[in-house]
Structure formats: structure tokens, C-alpha cells
Amino acid sequence: MSDKHPNNYPKLHNAAWPGVVGKGGPGAEPPIDLDTMLDLTAAAEVDGVKFDGFDLFLYLPHIDIDATVRSDDAIKELADKAARRNLQIGTVVAPIWGGTGGGAAMGDAAERAKFLAQVRKGCRVAKVLRELGVRPHGAVRIDSASSVDAWCQDPEGNQKRIIETFREACTIAEDHGERLAAEGEICWGGMHSWKRMLQILEGVGRPQTLGFQSDMAHTLLYLLGYNAPEDAILPPDFDWSDRARFDAAYKTLTDALRPWTIDLHIAQNDATVHGSGSHDKTGRHCQATDPNGKLDIVRHAGYWMRGPDGQPTRAFRHICWDGCMFPNAVMMNPKTWNDILAAMVAVRDAHGWKEPQ
């Protein structure tokens, strides 16, 4: 907070997982270690404002989640890493996918048990970080850990199983005093369309525990019906210069999902899909200053952050930038993080609020 930027909420977070997602493996760039990601985050500064914290991916090479089961030492090390850099920890991503020890939420009993076991580990890490005083807010992020192609083999049956698994995950989260945020992303079966995402949220029916995590890059593609053309709000050949029509479509989307939104990723997208490494194609994350970006970041963030009365919903205490699958050269450039922080500060100036310190 500074005189020029008086709002101090929501807190401004960077994401650690862009150093891991889409990295490693054949043909992909190497991961960027957690310490480097945190150092880049801590070094960014705009008009005297710095990032307040970071959101965390509970997966190797950043953290061995199984080590957190054996003792709290690995969790305490994470807390120390944050404290040394004057950063808080917010939302944590539970590694619920098959390649990380989890399983499909719509799978058989064994798969679903693996999924829920990873949720339990993630909730435990989140709880301990909260008790250590470095994580004052945030959720545990999940998805269906299922592909769209597999989901399409039995849409209604798979949707029912995802809902049942998420209900069980809610019970686990409640036992740990946590909330779950289901990320809307077109690559996850059952969550690949805004209407199907709503079906899951309403079907689980635990709004006090399960909410929606909006990523502005991913949800933009909900409008075009990627992977779910039957639910498109805009045509595939949409003329992006028609801003009035775009804004009306964006309002339809955000009016439907905002009441469920408990976690928000500020991001940019050029209305294309992208994937790298083992990560399926999903909404392309563009740099904050990308001239091909279709979002007015600050204005369109307000569609998520302000309610029908025009006032900030205050439904989340921090916002996070997501730059998944940026090239390593881009991420290692300090200007990238200053540009991102400048966009985040502008979002908070426009849609945030001030609380006593």
C-alpha cells in the first residue's frame, strides 16, 4: 500500500506453479525451482508496492507432498521460505492427477480413493501453514483430474461420479477447516463448459465448502465453447472488435459463476489454446502487456470482483496472477513480473478496498 495506491485488499499474489506446469519431460523446458520463483516474486516492485504473497503447487520439484505426511518439517520449510521473503501463502494446489499419485474423480473406486487421498494431504498442508501463521487466507484448489475425451464416453454418469467425489472431498476439507476451489478450465472433463461447471457446483450443493476458482485466461474460452460448442455464448468466428457484444457475453458468464467464485486468477488470453509438456491444451496465458490479449484486464476483472450492486463482493481476500507455460526466458526476466504486478495493482486500485492494518 502507498499514498498513490491506498487499497490494501485484496492482497496481491504471484503463482509458483508456472515454474512447474508444462515443464520437464521430453521436448519441454526444465522446471524453475521454487526458491527462484519466490525470489523473482519478492523482487518485483511498482510505485513502492510489492507482491504480498504467492500461491503454491504441492508437487515436485517444488514440494514432495508425501514428505508432508511423514512430518511437518517440509511444511515448516515452506513457511520459512515465505517468511524470509516477507511473503504470505494463499491458495495451494492439491496434486490430484493420475501422474502425481492421484486419480480421476470420475474413475472407479480405486481411482477416486487416490484422488481423495491427495485432497486430504493438500488440506493437511494448508491447515498446518495456516496454523504456522503464514497462510491467512486461500483455498485448496482441485479439478476433476479427468480428460474431456474420457468424460464424453458417459457424460451424465461421469458427471454424477465427479459430484459424488467432490462431496466426499468437501467432507475432508471441512475436517481440516478448509475450503475447496474447483478451477474452471476447458481441459478438465465435466468442468470444460460453464454450464457443466455450474452443474457440478450446484450438484455438490456445499457452497460453504466448494466454490469456483476463476482464471480469466481459461474462462474466456468458455465463451467460445471450446470442447463444449453446445454451451458457447459467442460464435467461433466472433469478431473481437465488437466490444459491446463481447461485454454482454462476458456479463452472462460472470453473472452465472460469480456467486460461486472464491478464488480469482488475474490473467490475459488471446482467445487461443496452448499446451506444453504433459499439460493438455487449455486457455493460453499471455503476458500482461500482450497486444493480442482480448481482455481489458482491469475492467474485466471487475466483472468477477464486483456484484450486481456495483460494490466489491469481498468474496476472496487475495487475487493471484497466473502465467502458466510462459517460456523460461520470459519468467526469468524481472520486467515480466513488474509488468504483471503493475496490472495487479491497477486491478486492486479499481476494484479493491482498504482495511486497517
Side-chain angles (χ1 to χ4, degrees):
M1 186 172 65
S2 68
D3 292 341
K4 186 176 179 181
H5 307 285
N7 289 338
N8 57 358
Y9 280 91
K11 297 301 183 183
L12 308 180
H13 284 208
N14 195 12
W17 55 81
V20 178
V21 175
K23 309 294 181 182
E29 292 188 305
I32 299 175
D33 65 273
L34 180 58
D35 283 304
T36 298
M37 292 296 296
L38 299 187
D39 287 341
L40 290 165
T41 300
E45 185 170 347
V46 174
D47 292 338
V49 179
K50 301 177 73 68
F51 280 108
D52 299 296
F54 62 95
D55 287 7
L56 187 63
F57 189 17
L58 302 177
Y59 183 56
L60 293 167
H62 283 186
I63 181 172
D64 179 358
I65 196 167
D66 289 324
T68 69
V69 177
R70 296 188 290 270
S71 79
D72 289 348
D73 290 347
I75 307 175
K76 291 176 180 176
E77 183 180 352
L78 284 174
D80 289 343
K81 287 178 184 289
R84 285 199 303 270
R85 296 170 173 86
N86 197 31
L87 295 170
Q88 296 177 335
I89 298 174
T91 293
V92 300
V93 179
I96 35 74
W97 314 280
T100 64
M106 66 183 197
D108 59 20
E111 286 281 301
R112 294 163 69 183
K114 291 177 182 178
F115 178 99
L116 293 169
Q118 295 296 85
V119 171
R120 183 173 287 104
K121 294 173 190 176
C123 287
R124 180 179 180 276
V125 173
K127 177 183 178 182
V128 173
L129 288 170
R130 191 177 72 243
E131 292 170 343
L132 290 171
V134 298
R135 186 175 166 268
H137 38 71
V140 177
R141 180 258 188 217
I142 61 171
D143 56 61
S144 67
S146 308
S147 73
V148 177
D149 286 344
W151 180 88
C152 286
Q153 294 173 19
D154 180 13
E156 302 313 319
N158 285 326
Q159 200 76 339
K160 180 180 178 181
R161 283 185 287 274
I162 292 169
I163 289 169
E164 290 172 351
T165 304
F166 279 18
R167 282 184 184 145
E168 293 184 58
C170 283
T171 299
I172 292 170
E174 289 163 0
D175 289 344
H176 291 80
E178 290 293 331
R179 299 184 78 187
L180 302 177
E183 185 185 34
E185 191 170 352
I186 61 168
C187 66
W188 302 124
M191 308 168 72
H192 58 288
S193 120
W194 66 281
K195 288 187 178 179
R196 289 295 187 173
M197 185 73 252
L198 274 174
Q199 186 180 46
I200 288 176
L201 294 166
E202 293 170 352
V204 173
R206 307 268 281 274
Q208 75 283 2
T209 306
L210 178 68
F212 179 64
Q213 182 189 76
S214 171
D215 179 298
M216 291 172 62
H218 297 320
T219 53
L220 179 69
L221 297 187
Y222 275 166
L223 298 178
L224 299 175
Y226 275 102
N227 290 334
E230 68 277 8
D231 293 335
I233 303 175
L234 294 172
D237 59 350
F238 176 63
D239 179 0
W240 291 95
S241 66
D242 188 347
R243 304 308 288 178
R245 187 177 180 187
F246 171 66
D247 285 350
Y250 204 72
K251 184 177 186 301
T252 297
L253 176 71
T254 54
D255 281 354
L257 289 170
R258 185 194 315 107
W260 292 92
T261 302
I262 63 170
D263 209 59
L264 176 64
H265 290 174
I266 306 301
Q268 181 59 284
N269 189 336
D270 61 6
T272 67
V273 295
H274 178 65
S276 64
S278 62
H279 198 281
D280 288 340
K281 288 185 177 180
T282 187
R284 177 185 289 273
H285 287 86
C286 298
Q287 294 188 56
T289 56
D290 192 319
N292 294 315
K294 299 299 187 287
L295 292 161
D296 178 330
I297 293 175
V298 174
R299 191 162 66 87
H300 289 114
Y303 284 62
W304 295 102
M305 297 176 68
R306 291 183 180 274
D309 61 358
Q311 297 302 308
T313 66
R314 305 193 183 196
F316 32 84
R317 304 284 289 171
H318 80 281
I319 53 177
C320 179
W321 176 269
D322 193 336
C324 271
M325 292 177 282
F326 280 5
N328 284 359
V330 170
M331 288 200 287
M332 294 303 295
N333 184 352
K335 183 178 185 300
T336 299
W337 306 110
N338 283 343
D339 288 344
I340 287 167
L341 180 57
M344 298 283 281
V345 169
V347 168
R348 183 165 70 182
D349 286 347
H351 308 298
W353 64 94
K354 184 178 180 179
E355 294 185 12
Q357 294 287 65

